[in-house]
């Protein structure tokens, strides 16, 4: 029976350092949970090509590790050469914290081929190649764990895999990107504008290396793809997700929505869509969206601010629940990675099937409904001339498309020539709304493109 589980970690950045710190400082308890001594055998990062850093790193590790030399392998721990991990037959678990797409994907596949379990925080590779990675793991009789890919410290993957296993999850609304949530919170409180808030988020270390992935919704879409693939046991790809970012949100709408009792957030949504009436062939579908939307300021999701994340789940047996916590940062992400290391080690020790995502590689995905099929209430902001008949004309077109108005507010104008008119609607089909707006925006009296956001009723 093995007594030691050897770990090879690739990528010694913010999360890698957190993982080392947790594995070293809590080793006794973690090893007891794993059923074997957890030992860090190799830590690989290109930066260790610099010999001085390598030595300093090794010195620091032995300092931290005083009194229990068994926690770290003897000899060369820090290495710039990934082959030192792949060529080491003693390594049981490969921890991939390099990020990006390649070479990370190649390394994950190679580790599985070499008979290692893989723990990864890599949402890009996983969201895109879910099937391929899970098939490779199955083929090599190994496992792949990815708790840190969504929601960092929030154990949402374990919850979906295990805690909710007796449930049908029929709805999910998440706030899964700390950077955009931080920016929107700052903008909502009037403390700062978009660019200034983005700079602050980058400084605080939440943003991706390329923050356009955060801002345009790509990061949230990858996370939603992973969670949805687990929920439907079938690969939901980022390209299945209708994705819109926060770059076009204007402070004026945040303020006005606030006055009407709503808060804006970038939501990741999985919703079931009813078959359209009268269409005999249509069946129930599911939509996946990343969109900025308003939510009642009294809803628990509205109070998720700063870099925090939350996932609101609707399930048939356990009901509606919200998981909430830090969605980025060294220790929260490391907490997820280390929990996966323990699951993996336990599996290796017990040969149990604990914590493997229940996934059917050949299962067909649900019918993916177009975002236009979704029914929702809406916030609309028209910018139109302030003269008799304007509102009536707009209301007529809305009515022609079956859209019923719930309330109207006219605000002071941006310019003498145009005033903002805000309309809150009753429930309408998104497609009908888009068609109505297309017609309204062609009117001469309408001076700017109409802005619209969903009013989420979760
Ligand atoms: N860039 C991500 C965020 C980091 O802002 O949430 C965590 O995945």
């Amino acid at each position: 029976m093995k007594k030691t589980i050897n770990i090879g970690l690739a990528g010694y950045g913010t999360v890698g350092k957190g993982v080392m710190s947790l594995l070293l400082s809590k080793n006794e308890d973690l090893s007891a949970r794993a059923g074997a001594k957890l030992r860090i055998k190799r830590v690989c990062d290109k930066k260790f090509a610099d010999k001085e850093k390598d030595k300093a790193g090794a010195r620091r590790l032995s300092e931290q590790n005083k009194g229990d030399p068994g926690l770290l392998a003897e000899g060369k721990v820090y290495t710039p050469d990934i082959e030192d991990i792949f060529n080491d037959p003693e390594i049981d678990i490969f921890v991939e914290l390099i990020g990006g797409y390649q070479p990370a994907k190649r390394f994950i596949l190679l580790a599985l081929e070499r008979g290692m379990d893989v723990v990864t925080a890599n949402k890009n590779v996983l969201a895109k190649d879910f099937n391929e990675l899970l098939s490779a793991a199955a083929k090599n009789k190994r496992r792949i764990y990815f708790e840190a890919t969504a929601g960092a410290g929030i154990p949402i993957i374990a919850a979906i895999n295990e805690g909710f296993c007796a449930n049908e999850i029929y709805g999910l609304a998440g706030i899964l990107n700390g950077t955009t949530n931080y920016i929107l919170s700052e903008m909502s409180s009037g403390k700062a504008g978009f660019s200034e808030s983005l700079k602050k988020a980058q400084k605080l270390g939440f943003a991706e290396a390329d923050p356009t992935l955060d801002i345009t919704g790509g990061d949230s879409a990858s996370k939603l793809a992973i969670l949805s693939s687990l929920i439907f046991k079938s690969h939901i790809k980022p390209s299945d997700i209708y994705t819109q970012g926060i770059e076009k949100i204007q402070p004026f709408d945040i303020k006005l929505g606030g006055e009407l009792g709503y808060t804006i957030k970038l939501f990741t949504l999985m919703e079931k869509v009813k078959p359209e009436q009268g269409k005999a062939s249509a069946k129930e579908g599911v939509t996946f969206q990343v969109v900025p939307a308003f939510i009642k300021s009294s809803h628990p999701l509205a109070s998720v601010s700063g870099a925090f994340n939350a996932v609101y789940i609707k399930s048939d047996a356990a009901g509606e629940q919200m998981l909430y916590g830090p969605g980025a940062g060294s220790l929260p992400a490391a907490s997820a990675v280390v929990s996966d290391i323990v699951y993996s080690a336990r599996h290796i020790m017990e040969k149990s099937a604990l914590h493997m995502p229940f996934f059917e590689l050949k299962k067909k995905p649900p019918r993916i409904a177009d975002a236009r099929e979704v029914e929702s209430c809406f916030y609309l902001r028209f910018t139109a001339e302030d003269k008799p008949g304007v509102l009536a004309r707009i209301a007529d077109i809305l009515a022609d498309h079956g859209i019923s108005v719930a309330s109207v507010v006219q605000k002071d104008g941006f310019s003498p020539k145009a005033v903002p008119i805000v309309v809150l609607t009753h429930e309408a089909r998104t497609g009908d709304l888009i068609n109505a707006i297309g017609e309204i925006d062609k009117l001469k009296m309408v001076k700017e493109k109409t802005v619209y956001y969903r009013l989420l009723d979760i």
Side-chain angles (χ1 to χ4, degrees):
M1 181 83 157
K2 273 172 85 71
K3 291 210 175 69
T4 302
I5 292 286
N6 287 302
I7 298 161
L9 189 152
Y12 195 61
T14 315
V15 182
K17 285 177 189 158
V19 170
M20 285 287 288
S21 147
L22 290 180
L23 279 175
L24 293 175
S25 63
K26 304 190 177 182
N27 195 276
E28 202 174 317
D29 179 53
L30 293 169
S31 297
R33 285 171 189 273
K37 187 89 186 154
L38 295 177
R39 185 172 76 149
I40 301 154
K41 188 144 188 223
R42 294 272 183 268
V43 181
C44 170
D45 195 298
K46 276 194 293 202
K47 62 176 168 266
F48 302 136
D50 174 339
K51 289 290 171 240
E52 277 317 301
K53 270 196 192 155
D54 192 3
K55 276 186 211 144
R59 262 201 311 275
R60 199 168 54 243
L61 282 177
S62 18
E63 267 304 298
Q64 283 171 350
N65 195 27
K66 255 186 207 152
D68 194 354
L71 297 186
L72 287 169
E74 282 158 29
K76 198 175 173 195
V77 172
Y78 277 62
T79 170
D81 187 358
I82 195 84
E83 293 302 327
D84 285 342
I85 294 183
F86 295 134
N87 291 333
D88 186 336
E90 273 191 354
I91 291 185
D92 303 285
I93 304 174
F94 174 60
V95 181
E96 186 277 306
L97 302 175
I98 301 166
Y101 189 66
Q102 290 290 17
K105 179 183 168 186
R106 195 158 39 83
F107 293 162
I108 291 173
L109 292 172
L110 198 59
L112 293 169
E113 275 168 30
R114 299 277 164 100
M116 300 170 190
D117 270 9
V118 170
V119 171
T120 179
N122 198 319
K123 56 207 156 194
N124 301 316
V125 177
L126 207 73
K128 201 155 175 268
D129 301 319
F130 203 89
N131 258 5
E132 187 184 343
L133 297 185
L134 268 91
S135 304
K139 188 173 146 221
N140 292 291
K141 299 197 167 47
R142 295 302 352 143
R143 314 224 151 206
I144 176 159
Y145 300 82
F146 44 87
E147 183 64 70
T149 54
I154 307 173
I156 179 66
I157 307 263
I160 292 176
N161 275 339
E162 296 186 17
F164 282 99
C165 69
N167 289 262
E168 182 204 347
I169 295 177
Y170 61 88
L172 181 149
I175 297 173
L176 287 173
N177 182 268
T179 302
T180 46
N181 203 47
Y182 179 82
I183 294 173
L184 293 177
S185 302
E186 290 284 290
M187 285 171 77
S188 300
S189 66
K191 280 191 210 144
F194 180 89
S195 323
E196 202 185 321
S197 313
L198 170 60
K199 276 192 200 121
K200 275 202 210 166
Q202 284 176 296
K203 225 178 183 174
L204 291 165
F206 316 138
E208 294 300 296
D210 172 8
T212 43
L213 275 179
D214 298 299
I215 304 307
T216 57
D219 177 80
S220 298
S222 292
K223 293 166 178 167
L224 180 61
I226 294 168
L227 299 185
S228 304
S229 297
L230 291 172
I231 292 172
F232 291 99
K233 305 175 196 84
S234 159
H235 189 188
I236 307 297
K237 304 176 194 72
S239 55
D240 294 326
I241 300 173
Y242 172 80
T243 304
Q244 212 182 302
I246 65 160
E247 62 275 43
K248 290 197 183 129
I249 299 177
Q250 295 184 30
F252 180 77
D253 293 302
I254 298 182
K255 187 167 170 280
L256 211 59
E259 286 170 16
L260 296 169
Y262 291 92
T263 304
I264 203 158
K265 298 278 173 200
L266 182 67
F267 282 104
T268 58
L269 301 169
M270 181 279 281
E271 296 162 280
K272 295 252 163 108
V273 177
K274 283 180 254 145
E276 228 189 302
Q277 272 183 355
K279 277 199 182 171
S281 59
K283 27 174 206 166
E284 188 184 73
V286 185
T287 56
F288 302 95
Q289 300 189 43
V290 174
V291 279
F294 280 115
I295 186 150
K296 274 245 156 66
S297 299
S298 55
H299 192 283
L301 280 166
S303 60
V304 177
S305 57
F308 277 81
N309 280 194
V311 190
Y312 195 87
I313 282 190
K314 289 180 169 185
S315 65
D316 61 351
E320 298 189 12
Q321 303 197 11
M322 184 167 108
L323 287 93
Y324 165 80
S330 175
L331 286 177
S335 154
V337 171
V338 172
S339 76
D340 277 347
I341 292 175
V342 171
Y343 285 129
S344 165
R346 202 183 282 168
H347 168 252
I348 294 166
M349 294 307 293
E350 294 174 353
K351 305 220 178 318
S352 75
L354 264 182
H355 198 73
M356 185 57 187
F358 183 73
F359 190 78
E360 296 163 35
L361 288 165
K362 296 213 168 82
K363 190 169 188 267
K364 274 209 176 136
R367 179 178 81 81
I368 296 172
D370 193 284
R372 294 171 74 101
E373 291 179 48
V374 173
E375 288 186 15
S376 176
C377 298
F378 286 92
Y379 163 102
L380 313 175
R381 197 243 304 157
F382 302 100
T383 308
E385 285 174 26
D386 193 9
K387 65 178 196 193
V390 171
L391 192 54
R393 189 74 195 95
I394 290 175
D396 269 353
I397 297 177
L398 290 174
D400 286 349
H401 289 270
I403 295 156
S404 165
V405 170
S407 62
V408 182
V409 185
Q410 181 173 317
K411 289 301 227 186
D412 288 339
F414 301 121
S415 73
K417 287 202 182 126
V419 285
I421 302 166
V422 173
V423 169
L424 303 187
T425 73
H426 287 298
E427 214 161 72
R429 258 186 90 250
T430 306
D432 295 336
L433 185 96
I434 291 172
N435 293 341
I437 290 177
E439 237 175 86
I440 291 168
D441 283 356
K442 281 193 199 127
L443 298 174
K444 257 181 108 185
M445 55 187 79
V446 172
K447 298 298 176 197
E448 275 180 27
K449 240 175 146 271
T450 297
V451 171
Y452 68 96
Y453 295 110
R454 286 181 64 182
L455 298 173
L456 282 189
D457 181 21
I458 305 167

